[in-house]
Amino acid sequence: MGVSMRILIAFITMLSLTACSSVGMIASPQREFNTTETLQLASRPANFVDTVVEVGKSLNYEYAGGDRSKNIINFTDNTGLGMGVLIGKVSQNRLTVSLAPDGRSVKFDLNSFGNFSTANEEKISERIGEFKNALQTNLR
């Protein structure tokens, strides 16, 4: 196969990938959803920040820092560049988990942005529910 044929095939491949992502972006509009939920603990956890970070990582969130002295932990996750380029899927979540000064009330603030139904109330409630359940299990 000649060099010009390889260039033509590469160009057609890139053009079709671009078309797929454009169709995905048009076919599924981007939405944003924000929510706050709380969880009451039976007692003050001994190692809250480290436990929350461990739980977040186990649920495929990326630890994005926080404030250990204030018991605030930030996480992110997204679909990545590959899915965006291939099918036009966009999804990003920012989750902040914090422990109230009373040591028993955990607050979850979640901001979700995306398309293909990734940023809707049902999906977000499901994600926070998973985090709550895993956190309660790990704090026992």
Side-chain angles (χ1 to χ4, degrees):
M1 186 181 307
V3 173
S4 60
M5 182 58 94
R6 288 182 187 158
I7 292 172
L8 179 63
I9 290 172
F11 176 74
I12 290 172
T13 302
M14 289 187 326
L15 186 61
S16 61
L17 287 176
T18 303
C20 287
S21 70
S22 297
V23 169
M25 293 281 199
I26 293 169
S28 181
Q30 296 175 4
R31 306 223 186 281
E32 184 172 1
F33 187 80
N34 301 297
T35 191
T36 299
E37 292 191 23
T38 59
L39 170 67
Q40 295 300 314
L41 302 176
S43 62
R44 178 184 277 281
N47 201 355
F48 179 75
V49 172
D50 292 334
T51 303
V52 171
V53 169
E54 180 183 314
V55 168
K57 287 180 178 180
S58 75
L59 295 172
N60 297 319
Y61 284 95
E62 183 178 329
Y63 174 59
D67 187 338
R68 186 173 286 275
S69 67
K70 294 181 181 176
N71 289 311
I72 298 172
I73 305 96
N74 298 305
F75 295 100
T76 63
D77 81 344
N78 59 53
T79 54
L81 183 60
M83 288 297 244
V85 169
L86 289 175
I87 63 171
K89 183 176 183 178
V90 176
S91 173
Q92 182 176 19
N93 296 294
R94 287 179 297 241
L95 174 64
T96 299
V97 182
S98 57
L99 182 65
D102 69 4
R104 296 183 51 214
S105 181
V106 181
K107 181 177 165 187
F108 299 86
D109 289 314
L110 184 61
N111 172 267
S112 184
F113 174 81
N115 59 0
F116 290 105
S117 299
T118 57
N120 65 34
E121 186 174 3
E122 182 180 324
K123 289 277 187 190
I124 300 311
S125 293
E126 182 180 306
R127 294 194 76 163
I128 289 180
E130 287 176 348
F131 206 108
K132 284 180 175 181
N133 289 337
L135 185 58
Q136 283 181 313
T137 300
N138 280 277
L139 288 174
R140 287 186 185 146

